[in-house]
Coordinates of all heavy atoms in Angstrom, one line a residue:
H1 N 65.8 19.3 26.9 CA 65.6 19.4 28.3 C 64.4 18.5 28.7 O 63.3 18.7 28.3 CB 65.2 20.9 28.6 CG 64.8 21.2 30.0 ND1 64.4 20.3 30.9 CD2 64.8 22.4 30.6 CE1 64.1 20.9 32.0 NE2 64.3 22.2 31.9
P2 N 64.6 17.5 29.6 CA 63.5 16.7 30.0 C 62.5 17.4 30.9 O 62.9 18.3 31.7 CB 64.2 15.5 30.7 CG 65.5 16.1 31.1 CD 65.9 17.1 30.1
A3 N 61.3 17.0 30.9 CA 60.3 17.6 31.7 C 60.5 17.1 33.2 O 60.7 17.9 34.1 CB 58.9 17.1 31.3
D4 N 60.5 15.8 33.4 CA 60.8 15.2 34.7 C 60.2 15.8 35.9 O 60.9 16.5 36.7 CB 62.3 15.0 34.8 CG 62.6 13.8 35.7 OD1 61.9 12.9 35.7 OD2 63.6 13.9 36.4
G5 N 59.0 15.6 36.2 CA 58.4 16.0 37.4 C 56.9 16.0 37.3 O 56.3 15.7 36.3
V6 N 56.2 16.4 38.4 CA 54.7 16.6 38.4 C 54.4 18.0 38.4 O 54.8 18.8 39.3 CB 54.1 15.8 39.6 CG1 52.6 16.1 39.6 CG2 54.4 14.4 39.5
W7 N 53.8 18.5 37.4 CA 53.4 19.9 37.3 C 52.0 20.1 38.0 O 51.2 19.2 38.0 CB 53.2 20.3 35.9 CG 54.5 20.5 35.1 CD1 55.7 20.1 35.6 CD2 54.7 21.2 33.9 NE1 56.7 20.5 34.6 CE2 56.1 21.1 33.6 CE3 53.8 21.7 33.0 CZ2 56.6 21.7 32.4 CZ3 54.4 22.3 31.8 CH2 55.7 22.2 31.6
T8 N 51.8 21.2 38.6 CA 50.6 21.5 39.3 C 50.0 22.8 38.8 O 50.7 23.7 38.4 CB 50.9 21.7 40.9 OG1 51.7 22.8 41.1 CG2 51.4 20.4 41.5
R9 N 48.6 22.8 38.8 CA 47.9 24.0 38.5 C 46.7 24.1 39.4 O 45.9 23.1 39.5 CB 47.4 24.0 37.1 CG 46.6 25.2 36.7 CD 46.4 25.3 35.2 NE 45.9 26.6 34.9 CZ 44.6 26.9 34.7 NH1 43.7 26.0 34.8 NH2 44.2 28.1 34.4
L10 N 46.6 25.1 40.2 CA 45.5 25.3 41.2 C 44.6 26.4 40.8 O 45.1 27.5 40.4 CB 46.1 25.6 42.6 CG 45.2 25.8 43.7 CD1 44.5 24.4 44.0 CD2 45.9 26.3 45.0
T11 N 43.3 26.2 40.7 CA 42.3 27.2 40.4 C 41.2 27.2 41.4 O 40.9 26.2 42.0 CB 41.7 26.9 39.0 OG1 41.1 25.7 39.0 CG2 42.8 27.0 37.9
Q12 N 40.6 28.4 41.6 CA 39.5 28.5 42.5 C 38.3 28.6 41.6 O 38.2 29.5 40.7 CB 39.6 29.7 43.3 CG 38.4 29.9 44.2 CD 38.5 31.1 45.2 OE1 39.6 31.4 45.6 NE2 37.4 31.7 45.5
I13 N 37.3 27.6 41.7 CA 36.2 27.6 40.8 C 35.0 28.3 41.4 O 34.1 28.7 40.7 CB 35.8 26.2 40.4 CG1 35.5 25.3 41.5 CG2 36.9 25.6 39.5 CD1 35.0 23.9 41.1
E14 N 35.0 28.5 42.7 CA 34.0 29.3 43.4 C 34.5 29.5 44.8 O 35.4 28.8 45.2 CB 32.6 28.6 43.4 CG 32.6 27.2 44.1 CD 31.2 26.5 44.0 OE1 30.7 26.5 42.9 OE2 30.8 26.0 45.0
P15 N 33.9 30.4 45.6 CA 34.5 30.7 46.9 C 34.5 29.4 47.8 O 33.5 28.7 47.8 CB 33.5 31.7 47.5 CG 33.0 32.4 46.3 CD 32.9 31.4 45.2
G16 N 35.6 29.0 48.3 CA 35.7 27.9 49.2 C 35.9 26.6 48.4 O 36.0 25.5 49.1
R17 N 36.0 26.6 47.1 CA 36.2 25.3 46.3 C 37.4 25.5 45.4 O 37.4 26.4 44.5 CB 35.0 25.0 45.6 CG 35.2 23.7 44.7 CD 34.0 23.1 44.2 NE 33.3 22.5 45.2 CZ 32.1 22.0 45.1 NH1 31.4 22.1 44.0 NH2 31.5 21.4 46.1
L18 N 38.4 24.7 45.5 CA 39.6 24.7 44.7 C 39.7 23.4 43.8 O 39.2 22.4 44.3 CB 40.8 24.8 45.5 CG 40.9 25.9 46.5 CD1 42.1 25.8 47.5 CD2 40.9 27.3 45.8
V19 N 40.3 23.5 42.7 CA 40.6 22.4 41.9 C 42.1 22.4 41.6 O 42.7 23.4 41.1 CB 39.8 22.4 40.5 CG1 40.3 21.2 39.6 CG2 38.3 22.3 40.8
L20 N 42.7 21.3 41.9 CA 44.2 21.1 41.7 C 44.4 20.0 40.6 O 43.8 18.9 40.6 CB 44.8 20.6 43.0 CG 46.3 20.2 42.9 CD1 47.1 21.5 42.6 CD2 46.7 19.6 44.3
H21 N 45.1 20.4 39.5 CA 45.4 19.5 38.5 C 46.9 19.1 38.6 O 47.8 19.9 38.8 CB 45.3 20.2 37.1 CG 43.9 20.7 36.8 ND1 43.0 20.0 36.2 CD2 43.3 21.9 37.1 CE1 41.9 20.6 36.1 NE2 42.1 21.8 36.6
L22 N 47.1 17.8 38.6 CA 48.5 17.2 38.7 C 48.8 16.5 37.4 O 48.1 15.6 37.0 CB 48.6 16.3 39.9 CG 48.2 16.8 41.3 CD1 48.2 15.7 42.3 CD2 49.2 17.9 41.7
I23 N 49.8 17.0 36.7 CA 50.2 16.5 35.4 C 51.5 15.8 35.6 O 52.5 16.4 35.9 CB 50.3 17.6 34.3 CG1 49.1 18.5 34.3 CG2 50.6 17.0 33.0 CD1 47.8 17.8 33.9
N24 N 51.5 14.5 35.4 CA 52.7 13.7 35.6 C 53.6 13.7 34.3 O 53.3 13.0 33.4 CB 52.3 12.2 36.0 CG 53.5 11.4 36.3 OD1 54.7 11.8 36.3 ND2 53.3 10.1 36.7
L25 N 54.7 14.4 34.4 CA 55.6 14.5 33.3 C 56.9 13.8 33.6 O 58.0 14.0 33.0 CB 55.9 15.9 32.9 CG 54.7 16.7 32.4 CD1 55.0 18.2 32.2 CD2 54.2 16.1 31.1
T26 N 56.9 12.9 34.7 CA 58.1 12.2 35.1 C 58.6 11.3 34.0 O 57.9 10.5 33.4 CB 57.8 11.3 36.3 OG1 57.2 12.2 37.3 CG2 59.0 10.6 36.8
G27 N 59.9 11.5 33.6 CA 60.5 10.7 32.6 C 60.2 11.1 31.2 O 60.7 10.4 30.2
Q28 N 59.5 12.2 31.0 CA 59.2 12.6 29.6 C 60.5 13.3 29.0 O 61.2 14.0 29.7 CB 58.0 13.6 29.6 CG 56.7 13.0 30.1 CD 56.4 11.7 29.3 OE1 56.4 11.7 28.1 NE2 55.9 10.7 30.0
P29 N 60.7 13.1 27.7 CA 61.9 13.6 27.1 C 61.9 15.1 26.8 O 62.9 15.7 26.6 CB 62.1 12.8 25.8 CG 60.7 12.4 25.5 CD 60.0 12.2 26.8
D30 N 60.7 15.7 26.8 CA 60.6 17.1 26.4 C 59.3 17.7 27.0 O 58.6 17.1 27.7 CB 60.6 17.3 24.9 CG 59.5 16.6 24.2 OD1 58.3 16.8 24.6 OD2 59.7 15.8 23.3
L31 N 59.2 19.0 26.8 CA 58.0 19.8 27.3 C 57.0 20.1 26.3 O 56.0 20.8 26.5 CB 58.5 21.1 28.0 CG 59.5 20.9 29.1 CD1 60.0 22.3 29.6 CD2 58.8 20.2 30.3
E32 N 57.1 19.5 25.1 CA 56.2 19.8 24.0 C 54.8 19.2 24.2 O 54.7 18.0 24.3 CB 56.8 19.3 22.6 CG 58.1 19.9 22.3 CD 58.1 21.4 22.1 OE1 57.1 21.9 21.6 OE2 59.0 22.1 22.5
W33 N 53.8 20.0 24.3 CA 52.4 19.4 24.5 C 51.9 18.6 23.4 O 51.1 17.7 23.6 CB 51.5 20.6 24.9 CG 51.7 21.0 26.3 CD1 52.4 22.2 26.6 CD2 51.3 20.4 27.5 NE1 52.4 22.3 28.0 CE2 51.7 21.2 28.6 CE3 50.6 19.3 27.8 CZ2 51.5 20.9 29.9 CZ3 50.3 18.9 29.1 CH2 50.8 19.7 30.1
D34 N 52.2 19.0 22.2 CA 51.7 18.3 21.0 C 52.6 17.2 20.5 O 52.3 16.6 19.4 CB 51.4 19.3 19.9 CG 52.6 20.1 19.4 OD1 53.6 20.0 20.1 OD2 52.4 20.8 18.4
A35 N 53.6 16.8 21.2 CA 54.5 15.7 20.8 C 54.1 14.4 21.5 O 53.5 14.5 22.6 CB 56.0 16.1 21.2
P36 N 54.4 13.3 20.9 CA 54.0 12.0 21.5 C 54.8 11.9 22.8 O 55.9 12.4 23.0 CB 54.5 11.0 20.5 CG 54.7 11.7 19.2 CD 55.0 13.1 19.5
K37 N 54.1 11.2 23.8 CA 54.7 11.0 25.1 C 54.8 9.5 25.4 O 54.1 8.7 24.9 CB 53.7 11.6 26.2 CG 53.5 13.1 26.0 CD 54.8 13.9 26.4 CE 54.6 15.4 26.3 NZ 55.6 16.0 25.7
T38 N 55.8 9.2 26.3 CA 55.9 7.9 26.8 C 55.0 7.7 28.0 O 54.5 8.7 28.5 CB 57.4 7.6 27.2 OG1 57.7 8.5 28.2 CG2 58.4 7.8 26.0
C39 N 54.9 6.5 28.5 CA 54.1 6.3 29.7 C 54.8 7.1 30.8 O 56.0 7.1 30.9 CB 54.0 4.8 30.0 SG 53.0 3.9 28.9
P40 N 54.0 7.7 31.7 CA 54.6 8.5 32.7 C 55.3 7.6 33.7 O 54.9 6.4 33.9 CB 53.4 9.2 33.4 CG 52.2 8.4 33.0 CD 52.5 7.8 31.7
G41 N 56.4 8.1 34.3 CA 57.1 7.4 35.3 C 56.4 7.3 36.7 O 55.4 8.1 36.9
A42 N 56.8 6.4 37.5 CA 56.2 6.3 38.8 C 56.6 7.4 39.7 O 57.7 7.9 39.7 CB 56.6 5.0 39.5
T43 N 55.7 7.9 40.5 CA 55.9 9.0 41.4 C 55.7 8.6 42.9 O 56.1 9.3 43.8 CB 55.0 10.2 41.1 OG1 53.7 9.8 41.4 CG2 55.2 10.7 39.7
G44 N 54.9 7.6 43.1 CA 54.5 7.2 44.4 C 53.3 8.1 44.8 O 52.9 9.0 44.1
P45 N 52.8 7.8 46.0 CA 51.6 8.6 46.4 C 52.1 10.1 46.7 O 53.3 10.3 46.9 CB 51.1 7.9 47.7 CG 52.2 7.0 48.1 CD 53.1 6.8 46.9
G46 N 51.1 11.0 46.7 CA 51.4 12.4 47.0 C 50.9 12.8 48.3 O 50.1 12.1 48.9
R47 N 51.5 13.9 48.8 CA 51.0 14.4 50.1 C 50.5 15.8 49.9 O 51.2 16.7 49.3 CB 52.2 14.4 51.1 CG 51.9 14.9 52.5 CD 53.1 14.7 53.4 NE 52.8 15.0 54.8 CZ 53.3 16.1 55.4 NH1 54.1 16.9 54.7 NH2 52.9 16.4 56.6
L48 N 49.3 16.1 50.3 CA 48.7 17.4 50.2 C 48.4 18.0 51.6 O 47.8 17.3 52.4 CB 47.3 17.2 49.4 CG 46.5 18.5 49.3 CD1 47.2 19.5 48.4 CD2 45.1 18.1 48.7
R49 N 48.9 19.2 51.8 CA 48.7 19.9 53.0 C 47.8 21.1 52.7 O 48.1 21.9 51.8 CB 50.0 20.4 53.7 CG 50.8 19.4 54.4 CD 52.1 19.9 54.9 NE 52.0 21.1 55.7 CZ 51.8 21.2 57.0 NH1 51.7 20.0 57.7 NH2 51.8 22.3 57.7
V50 N 46.7 21.2 53.4 CA 45.7 22.3 53.2 C 45.6 23.1 54.5 O 45.2 22.5 55.5 CB 44.4 21.7 52.7 CG1 43.4 22.9 52.5 CG2 44.6 20.9 51.4
R51 N 45.7 24.4 54.5 CA 45.5 25.2 55.6 C 44.0 25.3 55.9 O 43.2 25.6 54.9 CB 46.0 26.6 55.5 CG 45.8 27.4 56.8 CD 46.4 28.8 56.6 NE 47.8 28.9 56.3 CZ 48.7 28.9 57.3 NH1 48.4 29.0 58.5 NH2 50.0 29.0 56.9
R52 N 43.6 24.9 57.1 CA 42.1 24.9 57.4 C 41.6 26.4 57.5 O 42.3 27.2 58.0 CB 41.9 24.2 58.7 CG 42.2 22.7 58.5 CD 41.8 21.9 59.8 NE 42.6 22.3 60.9 CZ 42.1 22.5 62.1 NH1 40.8 22.2 62.4 NH2 42.8 22.8 63.1
T53 N 40.4 26.6 57.1 CA 39.8 27.9 57.2 C 38.7 28.0 58.3 O 38.1 29.0 58.5 CB 39.2 28.4 55.9 OG1 38.2 27.4 55.5 CG2 40.2 28.5 54.8
G54 N 38.5 26.8 59.0 CA 37.5 26.7 60.0 C 37.9 25.5 60.9 O 39.0 24.9 60.7
P55 N 36.9 25.0 61.7 CA 37.2 23.9 62.6 C 37.2 22.5 61.9 O 37.7 21.6 62.4 CB 36.1 24.0 63.6 CG 35.0 24.7 62.9 CD 35.6 25.6 62.0
R56 N 36.6 22.4 60.7 CA 36.5 21.1 60.0 C 37.7 20.8 59.2 O 38.4 21.7 58.7 CB 35.2 21.2 59.1 CG 33.9 21.4 59.8 CD 32.8 21.3 58.9 NE 33.2 21.6 57.5 CZ 32.4 21.7 56.5 NH1 31.1 21.4 56.7 NH2 32.8 21.9 55.3
I57 N 37.8 19.5 58.9 CA 38.8 19.1 57.9 C 38.2 19.3 56.5 O 37.1 19.0 56.3 CB 39.1 17.6 58.1 CG1 39.8 17.3 59.4 CG2 40.0 17.1 56.9 CD1 40.1 15.9 59.7
P58 N 39.0 20.0 55.6 CA 38.5 20.2 54.3 C 38.1 18.8 53.6 O 38.7 17.8 53.9 CB 39.7 20.8 53.6 CG 40.5 21.5 54.6 CD 40.3 20.5 55.8
R59 N 37.2 18.9 52.7 CA 36.8 17.7 51.9 C 37.6 17.6 50.7 O 37.6 18.6 49.9 CB 35.3 17.8 51.6 CG 34.8 16.6 50.8 CD 33.3 16.8 50.6 NE 32.9 16.0 49.4 CZ 31.7 16.1 48.9 NH1 30.8 16.9 49.4 NH2 31.4 15.5 47.8
V60 N 38.3 16.5 50.5 CA 39.2 16.3 49.4 C 38.8 15.1 48.6 O 38.5 14.1 49.2 CB 40.7 16.2 49.8 CG1 41.6 15.8 48.6 CG2 41.2 17.5 50.4
R61 N 38.6 15.3 47.3 CA 38.3 14.1 46.4 C 39.3 14.1 45.3 O 39.8 15.2 44.9 CB 36.8 14.3 45.9 CG 35.8 14.1 47.1 CD 34.4 14.3 46.6 NE 34.2 15.6 46.2 CZ 33.1 16.0 45.4 NH1 32.2 15.1 45.1 NH2 33.0 17.3 45.0
V62 N 39.5 12.9 44.7 CA 40.5 12.8 43.7 C 39.9 11.9 42.6 O 39.1 11.0 42.8 CB 41.8 12.2 44.2 CG1 41.6 10.8 44.8 CG2 42.9 12.2 43.2
A63 N 40.3 12.2 41.3 CA 39.9 11.4 40.2 C 41.0 11.3 39.1 O 41.8 12.2 39.0 CB 38.6 12.0 39.5
D64 N 41.0 10.3 38.4 CA 41.9 10.1 37.2 C 41.0 10.2 36.0 O 40.3 9.3 35.6 CB 42.5 8.7 37.3 CG 43.4 8.5 36.1 OD1 43.5 9.3 35.1 OD2 44.2 7.4 36.1
P65 N 41.0 11.4 35.3 CA 40.2 11.6 34.1 C 40.5 10.7 33.0 O 39.6 10.4 32.2 CB 40.5 13.1 33.7 CG 41.0 13.7 35.0 CD 41.7 12.7 35.7
D66 N 41.7 10.1 32.9 CA 42.0 9.1 31.9 C 41.5 7.7 32.3 O 41.6 6.8 31.5 CB 43.5 9.1 31.6 CG 44.0 10.4 31.0 OD1 43.2 11.0 30.2 OD2 45.1 10.8 31.3
G67 N 41.2 7.5 33.6 CA 40.7 6.2 34.1 C 39.2 6.3 34.2 O 38.5 6.6 33.2
T68 N 38.7 6.0 35.4 CA 37.2 6.0 35.6 C 36.6 7.3 35.6 O 35.4 7.5 35.3 CB 36.9 5.3 37.0 OG1 37.4 6.1 38.0 CG2 37.5 3.9 37.0
G69 N 37.4 8.4 36.0 CA 36.9 9.7 36.0 C 35.9 10.0 37.2 O 35.4 11.1 37.3
V70 N 35.8 9.1 38.1 CA 34.9 9.2 39.3 C 35.7 9.8 40.4 O 36.8 9.4 40.8 CB 34.3 7.9 39.7 CG1 33.5 8.0 40.9 CG2 33.5 7.3 38.5
L71 N 35.1 10.9 41.1 CA 35.8 11.5 42.2 C 35.6 10.5 43.4 O 34.5 10.1 43.8 CB 35.2 12.8 42.5 CG 35.5 14.0 41.6 CD1 34.6 15.2 41.8 CD2 37.0 14.4 41.8
A72 N 36.8 10.3 44.1 CA 36.8 9.4 45.3 C 37.2 10.2 46.5 O 38.2 11.0 46.4 CB 37.7 8.2 45.1
H73 N 36.6 10.1 47.6 CA 36.9 10.8 48.8 C 38.3 10.3 49.4 O 38.6 9.1 49.3 CB 35.8 10.5 49.9 CG 36.1 11.1 51.2 ND1 35.9 12.5 51.5 CD2 36.6 10.6 52.4 CE1 36.3 12.7 52.7 NE2 36.7 11.6 53.3
V74 N 39.0 11.3 49.9 CA 40.3 11.0 50.5 C 40.3 11.5 52.0 O 39.9 12.6 52.2 CB 41.5 11.7 49.8 CG1 42.8 11.5 50.5 CG2 41.5 11.3 48.3
D75 N 40.5 10.6 52.9 CA 40.5 10.9 54.3 C 41.8 11.8 54.6 O 42.8 11.6 54.1 CB 40.6 9.7 55.2 CG 39.2 8.9 55.1 OD1 38.2 9.6 55.0 OD2 39.2 7.7 55.2
G76 N 41.6 12.7 55.6 CA 42.7 13.5 56.0 C 42.9 13.5 57.5 O 42.0 13.0 58.2
T77 N 44.0 14.0 58.0 CA 44.3 14.0 59.4 C 44.7 15.5 59.7 O 45.2 16.2 58.9 CB 45.5 13.1 59.8 OG1 46.6 13.5 59.0 CG2 45.1 11.6 59.5
L78 N 44.4 15.8 61.0 CA 44.8 17.2 61.4 C 46.2 17.3 61.8 O 46.8 16.4 62.4 CB 43.9 17.6 62.6 CG 42.4 17.7 62.3 CD1 41.6 18.1 63.6 CD2 42.1 18.8 61.3
D79 N 46.8 18.4 61.5 CA 48.2 18.7 61.8 C 48.2 20.2 62.1 O 48.6 21.0 61.3 CB 49.2 18.3 60.7 CG 50.6 18.6 61.1 OD1 50.9 18.8 62.3 OD2 51.4 18.6 60.2
G80 N 47.9 20.6 63.3 CA 47.8 22.0 63.7 C 46.8 22.8 62.9 O 45.6 22.4 62.8
E81 N 47.2 23.8 62.2 CA 46.3 24.6 61.4 C 46.1 24.0 60.0 O 45.4 24.6 59.2 CB 46.9 26.0 61.2 CG 47.0 26.8 62.4 CD 47.6 28.2 62.1 OE1 48.0 28.5 61.0 OE2 47.6 29.0 63.1
H82 N 46.6 22.8 59.7 CA 46.5 22.2 58.4 C 45.8 20.9 58.5 O 45.7 20.3 59.6 CB 47.9 22.0 57.8 CG 48.6 23.2 57.5 ND1 49.4 23.9 58.4 CD2 48.7 23.9 56.4 CE1 49.9 25.0 57.9 NE2 49.5 25.0 56.6
A83 N 45.3 20.4 57.4 CA 44.9 19.0 57.2 C 45.8 18.4 56.2 O 46.2 19.0 55.2 CB 43.4 19.0 56.7
V84 N 46.1 17.1 56.4 CA 47.1 16.4 55.6 C 46.4 15.2 54.9 O 45.7 14.5 55.6 CB 48.3 16.0 56.4 CG1 49.3 15.2 55.5 CG2 49.0 17.2 57.1
F85 N 46.6 15.1 53.6 CA 46.0 14.0 52.8 C 47.0 13.3 52.0 O 47.9 13.9 51.5 CB 44.9 14.6 51.8 CG 43.9 15.5 52.5 CD1 44.1 16.8 52.8 CD2 42.7 14.9 52.9 CE1 43.2 17.6 53.4 CE2 41.7 15.7 53.5 CZ 42.0 17.0 53.7
T86 N 46.9 12.0 52.0 CA 47.7 11.1 51.1 C 46.9 10.8 49.8 O 45.9 10.2 49.9 CB 48.1 9.8 51.8 OG1 48.9 10.2 53.0 CG2 49.0 9.0 50.9
L87 N 47.5 11.3 48.7 CA 46.8 11.1 47.4 C 47.4 9.9 46.7 O 48.5 9.6 46.9 CB 47.1 12.3 46.5 CG 46.6 13.7 47.1 CD1 47.0 14.8 46.1 CD2 45.1 13.7 47.3
P88 N 46.5 9.2 46.0 CA 47.0 8.0 45.3 C 48.0 8.4 44.2 O 48.0 9.6 43.8 CB 45.8 7.4 44.6 CG 44.7 8.5 44.7 CD 45.1 9.4 45.8
E89 N 48.9 7.5 43.8 CA 49.9 7.8 42.8 C 49.1 8.3 41.5 O 48.2 7.6 41.1 CB 50.7 6.6 42.5 CG 51.8 6.8 41.5 CD 52.7 5.7 41.3 OE1 52.4 4.6 41.8 OE2 53.8 5.9 40.8
P90 N 49.6 9.4 40.9 CA 48.9 9.8 39.7 C 49.3 9.0 38.5 O 50.4 8.5 38.4 CB 49.3 11.3 39.5 CG 50.7 11.3 40.2 CD 50.6 10.3 41.3
G91 N 48.4 8.9 37.5 CA 48.7 8.4 36.2 C 49.3 9.5 35.4 O 50.3 10.2 35.8
T92 N 48.7 9.9 34.3 CA 49.1 11.0 33.5 C 48.6 12.3 34.1 O 49.3 13.3 34.1 CB 48.7 10.8 32.0 OG1 49.2 9.6 31.5 CG2 49.2 12.0 31.2
W93 N 47.3 12.3 34.5 CA 46.6 13.5 34.9 C 45.8 13.1 36.1 O 45.0 12.1 36.1 CB 45.8 14.0 33.8 CG 44.9 15.2 34.2 CD1 45.0 16.1 35.2 CD2 43.7 15.6 33.5 NE1 44.0 17.0 35.2 CE2 43.2 16.7 34.1 CE3 43.1 15.1 32.3 CZ2 42.0 17.3 33.7 CZ3 41.9 15.7 31.9 CH2 41.4 16.8 32.6
Q94 N 45.9 13.8 37.2 CA 45.1 13.6 38.4 C 44.4 14.9 38.7 O 45.0 16.0 38.7 CB 45.9 13.2 39.6 CG 45.1 12.7 40.8 CD 46.0 12.1 41.8 OE1 46.7 12.8 42.5 NE2 46.1 10.8 41.9
L95 N 43.1 14.8 39.0 CA 42.3 16.0 39.4 C 41.9 15.9 40.8 O 41.4 14.8 41.3 CB 41.0 16.0 38.5 CG 40.1 17.1 38.8 CD1 40.3 18.3 37.8 CD2 38.6 16.6 38.6
V96 N 42.1 16.9 41.6 CA 41.8 16.9 43.0 C 40.9 18.1 43.3 O 41.2 19.3 42.9 CB 43.1 17.1 43.9 CG1 42.8 17.1 45.3 CG2 44.1 16.0 43.5
T97 N 39.8 17.9 44.0 CA 38.9 18.9 44.4 C 39.1 19.1 45.9 O 39.2 18.1 46.6 CB 37.4 18.7 44.0 OG1 36.9 17.5 44.8 CG2 37.2 18.5 42.6
I98 N 39.1 20.4 46.3 CA 39.3 20.7 47.7 C 38.1 21.7 48.1 O 38.0 22.8 47.6 CB 40.6 21.4 47.9 CG1 41.7 20.5 47.4 CG2 40.8 21.7 49.4 CD1 43.1 21.3 47.2
D99 N 37.3 21.2 49.0 CA 36.2 22.0 49.6 C 36.6 22.5 50.9 O 36.7 21.7 51.9 CB 34.9 21.3 49.6 CG 34.3 20.9 48.3 OD1 34.3 21.8 47.4 OD2 34.0 19.8 48.0
L100 N 36.9 23.8 51.0 CA 37.5 24.3 52.3 C 36.4 24.3 53.4 O 36.6 24.2 54.5 CB 38.1 25.7 52.1 CG 39.2 25.7 51.1 CD1 39.7 27.1 50.7 CD2 40.4 24.9 51.6

């Protein structure tokens, strides 16, 4: 059974701050964590919708822990009760912080 997709894991690390982990398993032949993996397949950029909890746009930053590991700000736009962000295409693992 191929993995084929981007897995997500969302955690709250403190009130008002979330961390989203995106694991790119696109094109992987299996789901075994301790088995060798091929280079992840292309996914294109991602779209993140966050429900606003106040009048401000949430602060979103993204990092590639396998790359530079530096969190970079992502601009968002308002869409009613939500803010919408375009995330860069993930490599193997992408980390997204969301400050509500």
Side-chain angles (χ1 to χ4, degrees):
H1 176 344
D4 205 33
V6 176
W7 285 14
T8 60
R9 181 168 191 263
L10 182 66
T11 58
Q12 180 174 329
I13 58 172
E14 60 187 45
R17 178 170 284 172
L18 306 171
V19 174
L20 176 64
H21 300 271
L22 302 172
I23 310 298
N24 185 0
L25 296 174
T26 303
Q28 298 305 315
D30 58 52
L31 300 175
E32 302 297 323
W33 283 100
D34 58 351
K37 299 289 182 224
T38 61
C39 290
T43 64
R47 183 170 182 253
L48 175 66
R49 282 177 51 91
V50 178
R51 184 181 299 269
R52 294 185 298 138
T53 59
R56 299 181 339 180
I57 294 178
R59 180 175 154 190
V60 171
R61 295 179 293 164
V62 63
D64 179 350
D66 294 326
T68 65
V70 176
L71 285 168
H73 177 78
V74 178
D75 290 324
T77 58
L78 294 178
D79 181 15
E81 294 180 355
H82 294 85
V84 179
F85 304 86
T86 299
L87 303 176
E89 181 173 18
T92 302
W93 172 24
Q94 190 173 76
L95 179 96
V96 181
T97 63
I98 306 164
D99 293 313
L100 301 172

